[in-house]
Amino acid sequence: MKLHRVVVTGYGVTSPIGNTPEEFWKSLETGQIGIDKITHFDTTDFGVKNAAEIKDFPFDKYFVKKDKNRMDMYSIYAIYAALEALEHAGVDTDKLDRSRFGVLCSSGIGGMQELQEQISRFAKRGVRGIKPLFIPKALSNMGAGNIAMRVGANGICKSITTACASANDAIGEAFRNIKFGYQDIILAGGSECAINETGIGGFQALTALSQTEDPDRACIPFDKDRNGFVMGEGSGVLVVESLEHAEKRGATILAEIVGYGNTCDAYHMTAPLPDGSGASRAMRLAIEEAGLTPADIDYVNAHGTSTPANETGESQAIVAVLGKDVPVSSTKSYTGHLLGAAGGVEAIATIESMRHSLIPKTAGTSELGEDIEANVIYGESLTKEITYALSNTLGFGGHNAVLAFKRWEN
């Protein structure tokens, strides 16, 4: 079987720090965080006051008002990012073999806003109050399905649900499908829209969210005072294709995907293995598939959620695999935690870091915890040439997914 090299030729993003790759990167470059007071609903009765909401979403660019009646916002975010990615990559879908054009777009939760609204209608009005499109709007596969319908992709179409590792798993599965020749080009990433009463309330009940009121100190990955994550929303979608396919259509190549590691802690519903051994195995698998050694890795975009248990284990995993010198940062300090979309947005951050030879500082972090031995970049961003980078995502249920990227060189 012929193995194909797999490249990224474009991406689209809607996020708390920008709705284009250029806006998104500019915020990372200049240290502009997207965390602020929640405006989506009244937080009077909530201990959590901050989230990372999307600002100025350009709805009218691709959608009309009736689309909101047919789709939850997480699907709209997914379609937006996918269409932006195709435009960024210069893809003419009319020239594609549509049977070899796929979509792998994940969501950790799916249509949570629709779930909240329709369950509330049921509680008030009974079964007759439920709207007919409740289920299609709420399903977590409909982000992928709606993208495929919008762009006419007849190849593989899946939503892989592995909590916060979902988007990395989607990109990883896209990588493998193209590597082994099953598809030519795939839209891969994730989307999430869960900043509502139920989403915030549920994670608050789990004591997973930060209740720090200062937005600048709410999400502080690896800091000694970290006390929970900040919810974000949005979508990140990559155009992933074989090198042959990209070269044939004259595409600009942004990066190469060279490895993917996936493991499970099989330990606890929400807590990672204390020693980070599940994450470390996923990192090693990604490095091995890439044909690299740990010494080759120049940067790690960490899962880094600003939660104590997660980062103790992730720091140990990074040190166990890569040592104490490789630079590490968490871009969740800018975007908040986008749950099932995190890996898509962070893959874009990782590739942009490689292209600009700049590791964004971990914003908000001022003093590392005593349990953190990894070389976390904070205070100031680090100028550094990056040839190989890892992007880690670690999800509830013990899911660990790691992607290895290579800077593109002609």
Side-chain angles (χ1 to χ4, degrees):
M1 177 183 287
K2 179 182 178 180
L3 299 182
H4 301 264
R5 292 174 69 182
V6 182
V7 296
V8 177
T9 56
Y11 26 75
V13 62
T14 179
S15 79
I17 60 170
N19 297 312
T20 67
E22 294 78 14
E23 292 174 356
F24 177 77
W25 173 250
K26 188 67 174 178
S27 293
L28 292 176
E29 185 180 41
T30 59
Q32 299 299 309
I33 70 169
I35 298 165
D36 210 334
K37 299 301 181 185
I38 293 171
T39 65
H40 288 354
F41 63 91
D42 182 357
T43 62
T44 299
D45 295 330
F46 290 74
V48 173
K49 303 298 183 184
N50 295 310
E53 299 174 344
I54 289 175
K55 292 90 175 171
D56 303 318
F57 178 65
F59 179 86
D60 294 339
K61 184 171 183 179
Y62 298 116
F63 306 100
V64 295
K65 186 177 180 180
K66 68 179 181 180
D67 288 324
K68 289 185 178 181
N69 296 325
R70 298 178 55 253
M71 295 181 286
D72 186 90
M73 280 304 295
Y74 100 91
S75 280
I76 287 173
Y77 290 161
I79 293 170
Y80 171 85
L83 294 176
E84 288 284 287
L86 290 171
E87 182 178 332
H88 191 225
V91 175
D92 183 348
T93 57
D94 290 334
K95 294 181 179 179
L96 298 179
D97 178 348
R98 293 180 185 272
S99 69
R100 296 180 61 81
F101 173 29
V103 179
L104 284 162
C105 186
S106 294
S107 182
I109 298 177
M112 176 160 273
Q113 185 63 38
E114 186 66 15
L115 283 164
Q116 175 176 289
E117 289 177 3
Q118 298 310 312
I119 291 170
S120 177
R121 287 173 66 91
F122 173 75
K124 293 177 181 177
R125 299 173 56 187
V127 68
R128 295 180 183 276
I130 300 173
K131 290 187 175 181
L133 292 181
F134 167 37
I135 297 300
K137 288 178 71 175
L139 289 172
S140 62
N141 69 300
M142 289 307 293
N146 281 317
I147 291 171
M149 286 183 273
R150 183 71 178 252
V151 303
N154 297 127
I156 188 171
C157 185
K158 292 183 180 180
S159 174
I160 300 167
T161 303
T162 49
C164 308
S166 297
N168 258 20
D169 279 329
I171 296 167
E173 291 301 316
F175 163 65
R176 294 271 173 80
N177 270 273
I178 293 170
K179 177 179 179 177
F180 290 107
Y182 300 123
Q183 299 279 270
D184 294 328
I185 181 168
I186 297 175
L187 288 162
S191 185
E192 207 78 83
C193 183
I195 302 176
N196 59 20
E197 294 90 336
T198 304
I200 296 295
F203 281 107
Q204 177 180 300
L206 194 61
T207 67
L209 295 177
S210 172
Q211 297 193 25
T212 299
E213 293 211 16
D214 180 0
D216 292 334
R217 288 286 292 170
C219 186
I220 48 174
F222 303 104
D223 193 280
K224 67 181 181 64
D225 295 326
R226 65 193 189 276
N227 58 26
F229 75 85
V230 172
M231 185 86 81
E233 62 182 354
S235 180
V237 174
L238 282 61
V239 175
V240 182
E241 56 187 310
S242 70
L243 178 59
E244 298 96 319
H245 190 270
E247 289 181 333
K248 184 177 180 180
R249 68 179 189 84
T252 298
I253 297 170
L254 305 177
E256 184 174 2
I257 306 175
V258 290
Y260 166 51
N262 180 287
T263 66
C264 185
D265 291 350
Y267 170 70
H268 189 273
M269 285 194 296
T270 58
L273 280 163
D275 63 359
S277 56
S280 66
R281 286 189 298 113
M283 293 170 67
R284 288 192 178 97
L285 288 171
I287 291 169
E288 288 170 7
E289 182 171 19
L292 303 175
T293 68
D296 294 317
I297 304 302
D298 300 306
Y299 169 52
V300 178
N301 186 299
H303 186 58
T305 56
S306 191
T307 53
N310 166 257
E311 290 166 356
T312 300
E314 188 176 15
S315 174
Q316 290 184 45
I318 292 168
V319 170
V321 177
L322 304 175
K324 297 182 179 181
D325 294 330
V326 63
V328 175
S329 72
S330 171
T331 49
K332 286 185 179 70
S333 57
Y334 298 82
T335 65
H337 190 355
L338 274 67
L339 307 179
V345 171
E346 289 160 19
I348 296 169
T350 303
I351 294 170
E352 287 290 290
S353 294
M354 299 173 79
R355 296 182 68 225
H356 291 89
S357 299
L358 183 72
I359 295 172
K361 67 181 180 181
T362 305
T365 299
S366 60
E367 183 179 350
L368 299 184
E370 293 183 358
D371 57 328
I372 304 302
E373 295 185 319
N375 180 22
V376 177
I377 303 304
Y378 66 99
E380 293 184 6
S381 297
L382 176 66
T383 300
K384 178 180 172 62
E385 187 172 287
I386 305 166
T387 302
Y388 295 101
L390 299 181
S391 181
N392 293 349
T393 55
L394 319 173
F396 282 180
H399 303 287
N400 306 301
V402 177
L403 296 169
F405 294 97
K406 180 183 180 183
R407 186 184 66 207
W408 183 252
E409 297 174 341
N410 293 326

